[in-house]
Amino acid sequence: MIRYLYADQLDAFPKLRDTMLRDRATQFHARLKWDVSVDENGFERDQYDALNPLYVIWETQMGRHGGSMRFLPTTGDTMVNDHFEHLTGGGAICAPTIWETTRFCISPDAPDGGKIAAHLMLAGAELGVGFGLSHAIGVFDARMVRIYRKLGWEPDILGTDGTGREAISAGLWEFGGEIRLKMAGRAGISPELSRHWFLRAFGAPAQEIASAA
Amino acid sequence: MNKLVDMQEVLSQATTLEGLQDFVENLRDVYDIEHLVYHSVNSKGGQYAALTYDPSWVDRYLEKDYARIDPVVQGAYRRFHPVDWKALDWSAKATSSFLGEAIDNGLGNQGFSIPIRGPSGQFALFSANQKCQDEAWANYTSERSADLILIAHYLNEKALEIEGATERGPVRALSPREKDTLTLLAVGHNRAAIAEQLNISENTLRVYIESARFKLGAANTTHAVAMALIHGLIVV
C-alpha cells in the first residue's frame, strides 16, 4: 500500500524508514554511482531529508520499502533550484502550486519493480490532484526518460545537459484528473483505493470536504 | 477572482510590517471571515505575526505556551500541505479544554491552516478561522480556500521583502526564461506563439508564467507583466 509520510512521521515506522534509506543507498550509490553520502548504518541521506520532506512510499506486505519518492515545495529550498538552475531557464522555478520530486527509488529486492513504479506514479498524481497542485518538477538522468514513457506519464523537458547516457534533464509533470485515472489503470489499483490511502494520510483537505458535501 | 486581484493590489502597496497588519485586517473583512493569523519564523529564529485575534487571547496563549499543545501548530508547522482543523487531533483532554478557552476568547469553531516554506529555512503559517456550522464552512472553503492559499504565499513573500530588502522589489530574481516570457507577453504575443518562439511546450510556458507571477506577487498574468515593467525587470 501507499503511505504518505513526512520525515518527522517516519520514526513511527522504523523498518519502513531503514529499508528505504538502505534501498536508496543501493540504487543511488552502489548502482548509479551518484555522488551521495552513505552513513555507517548504510543509509543514504542528504540535506533535503533534513527539511522534513514528504515521502511517498510503497510499503510491501512485509512492512518494508518497495519504492519511494520525496517531495518538497518549490517556494522553499529544493535540489533543482539549488543545483540545477542551468536546466530550468537560468533561474529558480518557484510557485506554491509546484512541488519538487526527487529520489525516485525502487527496491532492488522487489520482484515487480515496474508495478511498484506505476504505483508511485499514481500516488504522485493523487497527491497533485488532492492538493490542487499544477505541476511537479524533477531532475532525472537519461535512463529515466524511457521508464517514464513506459509508465505512460512523460515529463515535459525544461532543459538537458550532456548527451546520451550521461544526459541529465529537468522536467515537468502536469497534474490533472485524467492522468490520475490513467495511472490508476496502469497500476491496476482502483481510484477509490488510491484516494483512500491519500485520505488516510491527510484527512480531507478543506476543498475536498466541500466538493464531497 | 476580482477580490483576489484587488487584494493583491493592496498587498503590493504595503511597505512596512504595520502595513501587513492593516492588510490582514482588511483581508478579514473582504473575505468575510472571523479571524486570520499569519505567523512567520525565519532561519535565525526571528518571529513576526500579523493577526486579528483579541490581544488578551494572544497574551494568554503566549503565557500558557499553548503552542506546545495547539494541534494546528503541532500538525501543520513542519508540514507543507493545507489542513482543515477537522483533520487534526483535538481529542486529548488538555487540547479540548484549550479549544474551549479559544472559543470563549472569540475564536470560531472552524478553521484551516496553510503552512508555507520560504527560502533558507524560513517558514510560516497562515490560518483562517470561522464561526459556523459544518455545511456553511464546507461552502466557504470550497469558494475561498484556493484564493487564501495564494494570498498566504504572497503575504509571506511580502513579509520577506519588507524584512530583508533595503530597496523595494521582489525577493526572488526572475530567470532569463521568465523575462523572455513576460517580455513577449508584454508586446502582445499569444501563448502559442511565445511557446513556439522559445521552443518550449505551452505546458512549460505556463510554468514560467506561474513562477514569474509568484516571484512578482502578481494576481494574474496581466498584473505580472505590469509589475515586471514597473520594476524595470523587462524592457519593451
mmCIF file of all heavy atoms in Angstrom, chain A residues 6 8 51-52 71 75-77 89-94 96-97 131 135 156 158 172 174 202 206-207 210, chain B residues 78-81 117-118 120-121 138 141-142 145 172 175-178 201 203-204 206 208 211 214-215:
data_model
loop_
_atom_site.group_PDB
_atom_site.id
_atom_site.type_symbol
_atom_site.label_atom_id
_atom_site.label_comp_id
_atom_site.label_asym_id
_atom_site.label_seq_id
_atom_site.Cartn_x
_atom_site.Cartn_y
_atom_site.Cartn_z
ATOM 1 N N TYR A 6 5.603 12.410 6.271
ATOM 2 C CA TYR A 6 6.654 13.415 6.430
ATOM 3 C C TYR A 6 7.808 12.766 7.192
ATOM 4 O O TYR A 6 7.619 11.775 7.910
ATOM 5 C CB TYR A 6 6.130 14.623 7.206
ATOM 6 C CG TYR A 6 5.264 15.545 6.371
ATOM 7 C CD1 TYR A 6 3.881 15.376 6.319
ATOM 8 C CD2 TYR A 6 5.830 16.580 5.632
ATOM 9 C CE1 TYR A 6 3.088 16.223 5.557
ATOM 10 C CE2 TYR A 6 5.047 17.432 4.863
ATOM 11 C CZ TYR A 6 3.679 17.255 4.827
ATOM 12 O OH TYR A 6 2.897 18.089 4.075
ATOM 13 N N ASP A 8 9.266 13.608 9.817
ATOM 14 C CA ASP A 8 9.065 13.524 11.271
ATOM 15 C C ASP A 8 8.020 12.471 11.664
ATOM 16 O O ASP A 8 7.811 12.234 12.849
ATOM 17 C CB ASP A 8 8.748 14.897 11.882
ATOM 18 C CG ASP A 8 7.435 15.495 11.412
ATOM 19 O OD1 ASP A 8 6.720 14.838 10.614
ATOM 20 O OD2 ASP A 8 7.117 16.621 11.830
ATOM 21 N N LEU A 51 14.937 18.592 5.764
ATOM 22 C CA LEU A 51 13.956 19.684 5.662
ATOM 23 C C LEU A 51 12.525 19.196 5.890
ATOM 24 O O LEU A 51 11.574 19.856 5.501
ATOM 25 C CB LEU A 51 14.062 20.353 4.279
ATOM 26 C CG LEU A 51 15.408 20.995 3.941
ATOM 27 C CD1 LEU A 51 15.378 21.589 2.540
ATOM 28 C CD2 LEU A 51 15.758 22.079 4.955
ATOM 29 N N ASN A 52 12.402 18.050 6.524
ATOM 30 C CA ASN A 52 11.079 17.440 6.737
ATOM 31 C C ASN A 52 10.273 17.330 5.438
ATOM 32 O O ASN A 52 9.152 17.833 5.338
ATOM 33 C CB ASN A 52 10.269 18.178 7.802
ATOM 34 C CG ASN A 52 9.252 17.260 8.467
ATOM 35 O OD1 ASN A 52 9.533 16.083 8.681
ATOM 36 N ND2 ASN A 52 8.074 17.769 8.768
ATOM 37 N N PHE A 71 9.054 14.595 -1.807
ATOM 38 C CA PHE A 71 8.516 15.876 -2.292
ATOM 39 C C PHE A 71 8.882 17.038 -1.370
ATOM 40 O O PHE A 71 8.906 16.883 -0.147
ATOM 41 C CB PHE A 71 6.983 15.808 -2.384
ATOM 42 C CG PHE A 71 6.484 15.020 -3.571
ATOM 43 C CD1 PHE A 71 6.263 13.653 -3.473
ATOM 44 C CD2 PHE A 71 6.247 15.642 -4.787
ATOM 45 C CE1 PHE A 71 5.810 12.918 -4.561
ATOM 46 C CE2 PHE A 71 5.799 14.914 -5.882
ATOM 47 C CZ PHE A 71 5.576 13.561 -5.770
ATOM 48 N N THR A 75 8.632 26.717 -3.175
ATOM 49 C CA THR A 75 8.762 28.022 -2.521
ATOM 50 C C THR A 75 9.888 27.998 -1.484
ATOM 51 O O THR A 75 10.408 29.035 -1.099
ATOM 52 C CB THR A 75 7.452 28.417 -1.813
ATOM 53 O OG1 THR A 75 7.085 27.371 -0.913
ATOM 54 C CG2 THR A 75 6.337 28.636 -2.814
ATOM 55 N N GLY A 76 10.244 26.798 -1.027
ATOM 56 C CA GLY A 76 11.345 26.636 -0.078
ATOM 57 C C GLY A 76 12.587 26.113 -0.797
ATOM 58 O O GLY A 76 12.691 26.198 -2.024
ATOM 59 N N ASP A 77 13.529 25.587 -0.045
ATOM 60 C CA ASP A 77 14.769 25.094 -0.642
ATOM 61 C C ASP A 77 14.525 23.764 -1.348
ATOM 62 O O ASP A 77 13.924 22.856 -0.777
ATOM 63 C CB ASP A 77 15.829 24.909 0.452
ATOM 64 C CG ASP A 77 16.116 26.222 1.175
ATOM 65 O OD1 ASP A 77 16.126 27.264 0.498
ATOM 66 O OD2 ASP A 77 16.305 26.198 2.403
ATOM 67 N N GLY A 89 15.958 27.247 -17.256
ATOM 68 C CA GLY A 89 15.800 28.586 -17.814
ATOM 69 C C GLY A 89 16.673 29.627 -17.135
ATOM 70 O O GLY A 89 16.403 30.812 -17.226
ATOM 71 N N GLY A 90 17.706 29.189 -16.443
ATOM 72 C CA GLY A 90 18.670 30.127 -15.881
ATOM 73 C C GLY A 90 18.299 30.685 -14.527
ATOM 74 O O GLY A 90 18.941 31.599 -14.023
ATOM 75 N N GLY A 91 17.257 30.143 -13.905
ATOM 76 C CA GLY A 91 16.892 30.634 -12.582
ATOM 77 C C GLY A 91 15.946 29.676 -11.901
ATOM 78 O O GLY A 91 15.566 28.656 -12.471
ATOM 79 N N ALA A 92 15.587 30.020 -10.675
ATOM 80 C CA ALA A 92 14.727 29.140 -9.889
ATOM 81 C C ALA A 92 13.301 29.118 -10.423
ATOM 82 O O ALA A 92 12.806 30.113 -10.927
ATOM 83 C CB ALA A 92 14.726 29.609 -8.443
ATOM 84 N N ILE A 93 12.658 27.962 -10.311
ATOM 85 C CA ILE A 93 11.213 27.836 -10.556
ATOM 86 C C ILE A 93 10.567 27.795 -9.171
ATOM 87 O O ILE A 93 10.831 26.880 -8.396
ATOM 88 C CB ILE A 93 10.882 26.523 -11.298
ATOM 89 C CG1 ILE A 93 11.584 26.457 -12.659
ATOM 90 C CG2 ILE A 93 9.369 26.338 -11.401
ATOM 91 C CD1 ILE A 93 10.885 27.120 -13.794
ATOM 92 N N CYS A 94 9.764 28.789 -8.863
ATOM 93 C CA CYS A 94 9.121 28.846 -7.543
ATOM 94 C C CYS A 94 7.643 29.151 -7.696
ATOM 95 O O CYS A 94 7.297 30.157 -8.318
ATOM 96 C CB CYS A 94 9.693 29.975 -6.684
ATOM 97 S SG CYS A 94 11.467 30.027 -6.554
ATOM 98 N N PRO A 96 3.703 28.197 -5.359
ATOM 99 C CA PRO A 96 3.033 27.368 -4.350
ATOM 100 C C PRO A 96 2.413 26.099 -4.948
ATOM 101 O O PRO A 96 2.242 25.113 -4.237
ATOM 102 C CB PRO A 96 1.927 28.275 -3.805
ATOM 103 C CG PRO A 96 2.279 29.655 -4.210
ATOM 104 C CD PRO A 96 3.148 29.571 -5.416
ATOM 105 N N THR A 97 2.096 26.150 -6.231
ATOM 106 C CA THR A 97 1.405 25.011 -6.858
ATOM 107 C C THR A 97 2.367 24.049 -7.538
ATOM 108 O O THR A 97 1.926 23.132 -8.224
ATOM 109 C CB THR A 97 0.401 25.514 -7.907
ATOM 110 O OG1 THR A 97 1.116 26.346 -8.831
ATOM 111 C CG2 THR A 97 -0.723 26.308 -7.267
ATOM 112 N N PHE A 131 -4.092 18.053 -3.565
ATOM 113 C CA PHE A 131 -3.703 19.353 -3.018
ATOM 114 C C PHE A 131 -3.811 20.479 -4.041
ATOM 115 O O PHE A 131 -3.310 21.585 -3.812
ATOM 116 C CB PHE A 131 -2.286 19.286 -2.433
ATOM 117 C CG PHE A 131 -2.217 18.465 -1.175
ATOM 118 C CD1 PHE A 131 -1.219 17.528 -0.990
ATOM 119 C CD2 PHE A 131 -3.175 18.626 -0.183
ATOM 120 C CE1 PHE A 131 -1.161 16.762 0.176
ATOM 121 C CE2 PHE A 131 -3.127 17.861 0.989
ATOM 122 C CZ PHE A 131 -2.122 16.931 1.155
ATOM 123 N N HIS A 135 1.861 21.362 -11.083
ATOM 124 C CA HIS A 135 2.956 20.570 -11.657
ATOM 125 C C HIS A 135 3.884 20.013 -10.573
ATOM 126 O O HIS A 135 4.002 20.589 -9.497
ATOM 127 C CB HIS A 135 3.838 21.429 -12.571
ATOM 128 C CG HIS A 135 3.150 21.948 -13.782
ATOM 129 N ND1 HIS A 135 2.371 23.085 -13.754
ATOM 130 C CD2 HIS A 135 3.107 21.486 -15.065
ATOM 131 C CE1 HIS A 135 1.886 23.312 -14.976
ATOM 132 N NE2 HIS A 135 2.309 22.360 -15.793
ATOM 133 N N ASP A 156 7.447 16.974 -19.438
ATOM 134 C CA ASP A 156 7.902 17.958 -20.421
ATOM 135 C C ASP A 156 9.320 18.347 -20.038
ATOM 136 O O ASP A 156 9.554 18.746 -18.904
ATOM 137 C CB ASP A 156 7.037 19.229 -20.315
ATOM 138 C CG ASP A 156 5.916 19.220 -21.306
ATOM 139 O OD1 ASP A 156 5.516 18.110 -21.703
ATOM 140 O OD2 ASP A 156 5.441 20.313 -21.670
ATOM 141 N N LEU A 158 12.368 20.589 -19.538
ATOM 142 C CA LEU A 158 12.684 22.023 -19.414
ATOM 143 C C LEU A 158 14.061 22.332 -19.976
ATOM 144 O O LEU A 158 14.286 23.375 -20.564
ATOM 145 C CB LEU A 158 12.694 22.417 -17.935
ATOM 146 C CG LEU A 158 11.403 22.855 -17.281
ATOM 147 C CD1 LEU A 158 11.594 22.874 -15.779
ATOM 148 C CD2 LEU A 158 11.009 24.243 -17.766
ATOM 149 N N LEU A 172 8.895 18.511 -16.185
ATOM 150 C CA LEU A 172 7.650 18.890 -15.505
ATOM 151 C C LEU A 172 6.568 17.862 -15.764
ATOM 152 O O LEU A 172 6.354 17.453 -16.902
ATOM 153 C CB LEU A 172 7.147 20.219 -16.080
ATOM 154 C CG LEU A 172 7.987 21.459 -15.855
ATOM 155 C CD1 LEU A 172 7.525 22.551 -16.814
ATOM 156 C CD2 LEU A 172 7.864 21.923 -14.416
ATOM 157 N N GLU A 174 2.533 17.467 -15.432
ATOM 158 C CA GLU A 174 1.328 18.261 -15.198
ATOM 159 C C GLU A 174 0.281 17.394 -14.499
ATOM 160 O O GLU A 174 -0.003 16.274 -14.930
ATOM 161 C CB GLU A 174 0.781 18.781 -16.532
ATOM 162 C CG GLU A 174 -0.358 19.763 -16.335
ATOM 163 C CD GLU A 174 -0.917 20.276 -17.658
ATOM 164 O OE1 GLU A 174 -0.674 19.641 -18.707
ATOM 165 O OE2 GLU A 174 -1.616 21.305 -17.620
ATOM 166 N N PHE A 202 -3.921 12.216 5.146
ATOM 167 C CA PHE A 202 -4.077 13.665 5.290
ATOM 168 C C PHE A 202 -5.416 14.105 5.844
ATOM 169 O O PHE A 202 -5.595 15.290 6.131
ATOM 170 C CB PHE A 202 -3.863 14.344 3.924
ATOM 171 C CG PHE A 202 -2.508 14.095 3.338
ATOM 172 C CD1 PHE A 202 -2.359 13.321 2.194
ATOM 173 C CD2 PHE A 202 -1.371 14.610 3.941
ATOM 174 C CE1 PHE A 202 -1.108 13.087 1.650
ATOM 175 C CE2 PHE A 202 -0.109 14.378 3.402
ATOM 176 C CZ PHE A 202 0.019 13.609 2.248
ATOM 177 N N ALA A 206 -9.628 20.961 3.039
ATOM 178 C CA ALA A 206 -10.821 21.817 3.100
ATOM 179 C C ALA A 206 -11.641 21.769 1.810
ATOM 180 O O ALA A 206 -12.843 21.575 1.839
ATOM 181 C CB ALA A 206 -10.400 23.239 3.405
ATOM 182 N N GLN A 207 -10.969 21.922 0.675
ATOM 183 C CA GLN A 207 -11.708 21.976 -0.581
ATOM 184 C C GLN A 207 -12.402 20.665 -0.892
ATOM 185 O O GLN A 207 -13.452 20.629 -1.479
ATOM 186 C CB GLN A 207 -10.759 22.299 -1.739
ATOM 187 C CG GLN A 207 -10.275 23.711 -1.744
ATOM 188 C CD GLN A 207 -9.015 23.842 -2.573
ATOM 189 O OE1 GLN A 207 -7.925 23.599 -2.083
ATOM 190 N NE2 GLN A 207 -9.169 24.200 -3.824
ATOM 191 N N ALA A 210 -15.588 20.067 0.940
ATOM 192 C CA ALA A 210 -16.653 20.845 0.322
ATOM 193 C C ALA A 210 -17.228 20.141 -0.906
ATOM 194 O O ALA A 210 -18.434 20.052 -1.070
ATOM 195 C CB ALA A 210 -16.111 22.212 -0.062
ATOM 196 N N ARG B 78 5.571 22.001 10.609
ATOM 197 C CA ARG B 78 6.714 21.447 9.888
ATOM 198 C C ARG B 78 6.280 20.793 8.571
ATOM 199 O O ARG B 78 7.079 20.225 7.864
ATOM 200 C CB ARG B 78 7.455 20.442 10.779
ATOM 201 C CG ARG B 78 7.961 21.072 12.070
ATOM 202 C CD ARG B 78 9.093 20.269 12.660
ATOM 203 N NE ARG B 78 10.251 20.245 11.792
ATOM 204 C CZ ARG B 78 10.949 19.151 11.524
ATOM 205 N NH1 ARG B 78 10.611 17.995 12.036
ATOM 206 N NH2 ARG B 78 12.000 19.210 10.745
ATOM 207 N N ARG B 79 4.994 20.857 8.265
ATOM 208 C CA ARG B 79 4.465 20.234 7.037
ATOM 209 C C ARG B 79 4.343 21.295 5.948
ATOM 210 O O ARG B 79 4.695 22.445 6.148
ATOM 211 C CB ARG B 79 3.112 19.610 7.369
ATOM 212 C CG ARG B 79 3.108 18.823 8.689
ATOM 213 C CD ARG B 79 3.364 17.350 8.460
ATOM 214 N NE ARG B 79 3.975 16.747 9.636
ATOM 215 C CZ ARG B 79 3.320 16.100 10.598
ATOM 216 N NH1 ARG B 79 2.019 15.963 10.532
ATOM 217 N NH2 ARG B 79 3.975 15.567 11.613
ATOM 218 N N PHE B 80 3.754 20.905 4.821
ATOM 219 C CA PHE B 80 3.526 21.932 3.805
ATOM 220 C C PHE B 80 2.262 21.708 2.986
ATOM 221 O O PHE B 80 2.134 22.251 1.899
ATOM 222 C CB PHE B 80 4.756 22.129 2.906
ATOM 223 C CG PHE B 80 5.415 20.858 2.421
ATOM 224 C CD1 PHE B 80 4.924 20.180 1.328
ATOM 225 C CD2 PHE B 80 6.551 20.374 3.061
ATOM 226 C CE1 PHE B 80 5.540 19.032 0.876
ATOM 227 C CE2 PHE B 80 7.177 19.210 2.620
ATOM 228 C CZ PHE B 80 6.673 18.536 1.519
ATOM 229 N N HIS B 81 1.312 20.926 3.521
ATOM 230 C CA HIS B 81 0.020 20.842 2.828
ATOM 231 C C HIS B 81 -1.041 21.558 3.668
ATOM 232 O O HIS B 81 -0.978 21.526 4.899
ATOM 233 C CB HIS B 81 -0.370 19.384 2.572
ATOM 234 C CG HIS B 81 -0.673 18.601 3.819
ATOM 235 N ND1 HIS B 81 0.319 17.994 4.573
ATOM 236 C CD2 HIS B 81 -1.835 18.351 4.462
ATOM 237 C CE1 HIS B 81 -0.232 17.395 5.612
ATOM 238 N NE2 HIS B 81 -1.547 17.595 5.581
ATOM 239 N N ARG B 117 6.563 27.297 3.094
ATOM 240 C CA ARG B 117 8.024 27.201 3.146
ATOM 241 C C ARG B 117 8.616 28.330 2.324
ATOM 242 O O ARG B 117 8.268 28.505 1.164
ATOM 243 C CB ARG B 117 8.492 25.865 2.531
ATOM 244 C CG ARG B 117 8.082 24.620 3.295
ATOM 245 C CD ARG B 117 9.050 24.325 4.433
ATOM 246 N NE ARG B 117 8.615 23.157 5.179
ATOM 247 C CZ ARG B 117 9.189 21.949 5.080
ATOM 248 N NH1 ARG B 117 10.195 21.759 4.244
ATOM 249 N NH2 ARG B 117 8.762 20.952 5.809
ATOM 250 N N GLY B 118 9.519 29.080 2.946
ATOM 251 C CA GLY B 118 10.217 30.138 2.224
ATOM 252 C C GLY B 118 11.669 29.768 2.011
ATOM 253 O O GLY B 118 12.088 28.653 2.353
ATOM 254 N N SER B 120 15.808 29.593 2.435
ATOM 255 C CA SER B 120 16.770 29.484 3.547
ATOM 256 C C SER B 120 16.133 29.064 4.856
ATOM 257 O O SER B 120 16.439 29.608 5.908
ATOM 258 C CB SER B 120 17.487 30.829 3.770
ATOM 259 O OG SER B 120 17.989 31.321 2.563
ATOM 260 N N GLY B 121 15.242 28.088 4.796
ATOM 261 C CA GLY B 121 14.687 27.529 6.019
ATOM 262 C C GLY B 121 13.596 28.364 6.666
ATOM 263 O O GLY B 121 13.084 27.997 7.725
ATOM 264 N N ALA B 138 -18.006 24.212 4.784
ATOM 265 C CA ALA B 138 -17.655 23.486 3.558
ATOM 266 C C ALA B 138 -17.865 24.383 2.340
ATOM 267 O O ALA B 138 -17.032 24.419 1.429
ATOM 268 C CB ALA B 138 -18.497 22.217 3.436
ATOM 269 N N THR B 141 -15.026 27.139 2.344
ATOM 270 C CA THR B 141 -13.695 26.697 1.907
ATOM 271 C C THR B 141 -13.696 26.329 0.426
ATOM 272 O O THR B 141 -12.706 26.543 -0.258
ATOM 273 C CB THR B 141 -13.178 25.510 2.749
ATOM 274 O OG1 THR B 141 -14.137 24.461 2.691
ATOM 275 C CG2 THR B 141 -12.933 25.923 4.173
ATOM 276 N N SER B 142 -14.805 25.791 -0.052
ATOM 277 C CA SER B 142 -14.811 25.426 -1.465
ATOM 278 C C SER B 142 -14.713 26.684 -2.334
ATOM 279 O O SER B 142 -14.097 26.679 -3.386
ATOM 280 C CB SER B 142 -16.048 24.596 -1.780
ATOM 281 O OG SER B 142 -16.965 25.307 -2.548
ATOM 282 N N SER B 145 -10.875 28.863 -0.374
ATOM 283 C CA SER B 145 -9.573 28.383 0.114
ATOM 284 C C SER B 145 -8.471 28.524 -0.926
ATOM 285 O O SER B 145 -7.333 28.837 -0.585
ATOM 286 C CB SER B 145 -9.676 26.952 0.633
ATOM 287 O OG SER B 145 -10.064 26.088 -0.398
ATOM 288 N N ARG B 172 12.798 37.421 -5.038
ATOM 289 C CA ARG B 172 13.362 36.378 -5.886
ATOM 290 C C ARG B 172 13.565 36.915 -7.304
ATOM 291 O O ARG B 172 12.693 37.554 -7.860
ATOM 292 C CB ARG B 172 12.428 35.185 -5.925
ATOM 293 C CG ARG B 172 12.101 34.636 -4.531
ATOM 294 C CD ARG B 172 11.117 33.501 -4.680
ATOM 295 N NE ARG B 172 10.486 33.139 -3.427
ATOM 296 C CZ ARG B 172 10.747 32.016 -2.754
ATOM 297 N NH1 ARG B 172 11.662 31.183 -3.191
ATOM 298 N NH2 ARG B 172 10.081 31.732 -1.655
ATOM 299 N N SER B 175 14.183 34.554 -13.783
ATOM 300 C CA SER B 175 15.187 33.884 -14.607
ATOM 301 C C SER B 175 15.136 34.465 -16.023
ATOM 302 O O SER B 175 14.135 35.089 -16.407
ATOM 303 C CB SER B 175 14.915 32.383 -14.658
ATOM 304 O OG SER B 175 13.812 32.113 -15.501
ATOM 305 N N PRO B 176 16.209 34.282 -16.798
ATOM 306 C CA PRO B 176 16.192 34.777 -18.191
ATOM 307 C C PRO B 176 14.965 34.264 -18.961
ATOM 308 O O PRO B 176 14.346 35.029 -19.702
ATOM 309 C CB PRO B 176 17.485 34.197 -18.767
ATOM 310 C CG PRO B 176 18.399 34.057 -17.594
ATOM 311 C CD PRO B 176 17.515 33.712 -16.427
ATOM 312 N N ARG B 177 14.598 33.003 -18.770
ATOM 313 C CA ARG B 177 13.439 32.452 -19.470
ATOM 314 C C ARG B 177 12.130 33.130 -19.032
ATOM 315 O O ARG B 177 11.243 33.377 -19.850
ATOM 316 C CB ARG B 177 13.326 30.946 -19.192
ATOM 317 C CG ARG B 177 13.960 30.087 -20.238
ATOM 318 C CD ARG B 177 13.176 30.164 -21.544
ATOM 319 N NE ARG B 177 13.584 29.136 -22.489
ATOM 320 C CZ ARG B 177 14.215 29.381 -23.630
ATOM 321 N NH1 ARG B 177 14.519 30.618 -23.964
ATOM 322 N NH2 ARG B 177 14.525 28.393 -24.427
ATOM 323 N N GLU B 178 12.034 33.424 -17.749
ATOM 324 C CA GLU B 178 10.833 34.103 -17.254
ATOM 325 C C GLU B 178 10.754 35.519 -17.833
ATOM 326 O O GLU B 178 9.677 35.995 -18.193
ATOM 327 C CB GLU B 178 10.833 34.133 -15.722
ATOM 328 C CG GLU B 178 10.527 32.758 -15.121
ATOM 329 C CD GLU B 178 10.882 32.621 -13.651
ATOM 330 O OE1 GLU B 178 11.443 33.571 -13.068
ATOM 331 O OE2 GLU B 178 10.624 31.548 -13.087
ATOM 332 N N SER B 201 7.176 23.798 -24.774
ATOM 333 C CA SER B 201 5.757 23.447 -24.845
ATOM 334 C C SER B 201 4.928 24.513 -24.133
ATOM 335 O O SER B 201 5.455 25.280 -23.315
ATOM 336 C CB SER B 201 5.528 22.086 -24.185
ATOM 337 O OG SER B 201 5.721 22.204 -22.790
ATOM 338 N N ASN B 203 2.787 23.911 -21.946
ATOM 339 C CA ASN B 203 2.800 23.467 -20.556
ATOM 340 C C ASN B 203 3.985 24.078 -19.808
ATOM 341 O O ASN B 203 3.857 24.609 -18.699
ATOM 342 C CB ASN B 203 2.872 21.934 -20.559
ATOM 343 C CG ASN B 203 2.692 21.337 -19.184
ATOM 344 O OD1 ASN B 203 2.069 21.927 -18.322
ATOM 345 N ND2 ASN B 203 3.262 20.164 -18.987
ATOM 346 N N THR B 204 5.154 24.023 -20.430
ATOM 347 C CA THR B 204 6.355 24.612 -19.828
ATOM 348 C C THR B 204 6.213 26.123 -19.718
ATOM 349 O O THR B 204 6.574 26.726 -18.712
ATOM 350 C CB THR B 204 7.592 24.238 -20.661
ATOM 351 O OG1 THR B 204 7.710 22.819 -20.682
ATOM 352 C CG2 THR B 204 8.859 24.844 -20.098
ATOM 353 N N ARG B 206 3.523 27.751 -19.285
ATOM 354 C CA ARG B 206 2.625 28.020 -18.166
ATOM 355 C C ARG B 206 3.392 28.022 -16.840
ATOM 356 O O ARG B 206 3.106 28.823 -15.941
ATOM 357 C CB ARG B 206 1.517 26.961 -18.137
ATOM 358 C CG ARG B 206 0.190 27.555 -17.826
ATOM 359 C CD ARG B 206 -1.039 26.714 -17.972
ATOM 360 N NE ARG B 206 -0.958 25.302 -17.847
ATOM 361 C CZ ARG B 206 -1.065 24.470 -18.875
ATOM 362 N NH1 ARG B 206 -1.231 24.927 -20.088
ATOM 363 N NH2 ARG B 206 -1.002 23.173 -18.681
ATOM 364 N N TYR B 208 6.616 28.777 -16.437
ATOM 365 C CA TYR B 208 7.408 30.017 -16.352
ATOM 366 C C TYR B 208 6.522 31.195 -15.938
ATOM 367 O O TYR B 208 6.924 32.040 -15.130
ATOM 368 C CB TYR B 208 8.102 30.317 -17.684
ATOM 369 C CG TYR B 208 9.283 29.422 -17.961
ATOM 370 C CD1 TYR B 208 9.443 28.787 -19.190
ATOM 371 C CD2 TYR B 208 10.263 29.215 -16.991
ATOM 372 C CE1 TYR B 208 10.531 27.974 -19.452
ATOM 373 C CE2 TYR B 208 11.354 28.397 -17.232
ATOM 374 C CZ TYR B 208 11.487 27.775 -18.474
ATOM 375 O OH TYR B 208 12.562 26.970 -18.709
ATOM 376 N N SER B 211 5.601 30.795 -12.210
ATOM 377 C CA SER B 211 6.742 31.077 -11.355
ATOM 378 C C SER B 211 7.033 32.584 -11.321
ATOM 379 O O SER B 211 7.267 33.156 -10.250
ATOM 380 C CB SER B 211 7.957 30.289 -11.865
ATOM 381 O OG SER B 211 9.093 30.557 -11.086
ATOM 382 N N PHE B 214 4.405 34.367 -9.247
ATOM 383 C CA PHE B 214 4.638 34.204 -7.803
ATOM 384 C C PHE B 214 5.775 35.109 -7.328
ATOM 385 O O PHE B 214 5.661 35.788 -6.315
ATOM 386 C CB PHE B 214 4.956 32.739 -7.492
ATOM 387 C CG PHE B 214 5.446 32.523 -6.089
ATOM 388 C CD1 PHE B 214 4.602 32.706 -5.009
ATOM 389 C CD2 PHE B 214 6.757 32.148 -5.847
ATOM 390 C CE1 PHE B 214 5.052 32.523 -3.711
ATOM 391 C CE2 PHE B 214 7.215 31.963 -4.552
ATOM 392 C CZ PHE B 214 6.358 32.151 -3.485
ATOM 393 N N LYS B 215 6.885 35.123 -8.083
ATOM 394 C CA LYS B 215 8.033 35.937 -7.668
ATOM 395 C C LYS B 215 7.669 37.420 -7.608
ATOM 396 O O LYS B 215 8.194 38.161 -6.778
ATOM 397 C CB LYS B 215 9.195 35.726 -8.641
ATOM 398 C CG LYS B 215 9.829 34.345 -8.537
ATOM 399 C CD LYS B 215 10.879 34.165 -9.620
ATOM 400 C CE LYS B 215 11.525 32.777 -9.549
ATOM 401 N NZ LYS B 215 12.483 32.595 -10.648
#
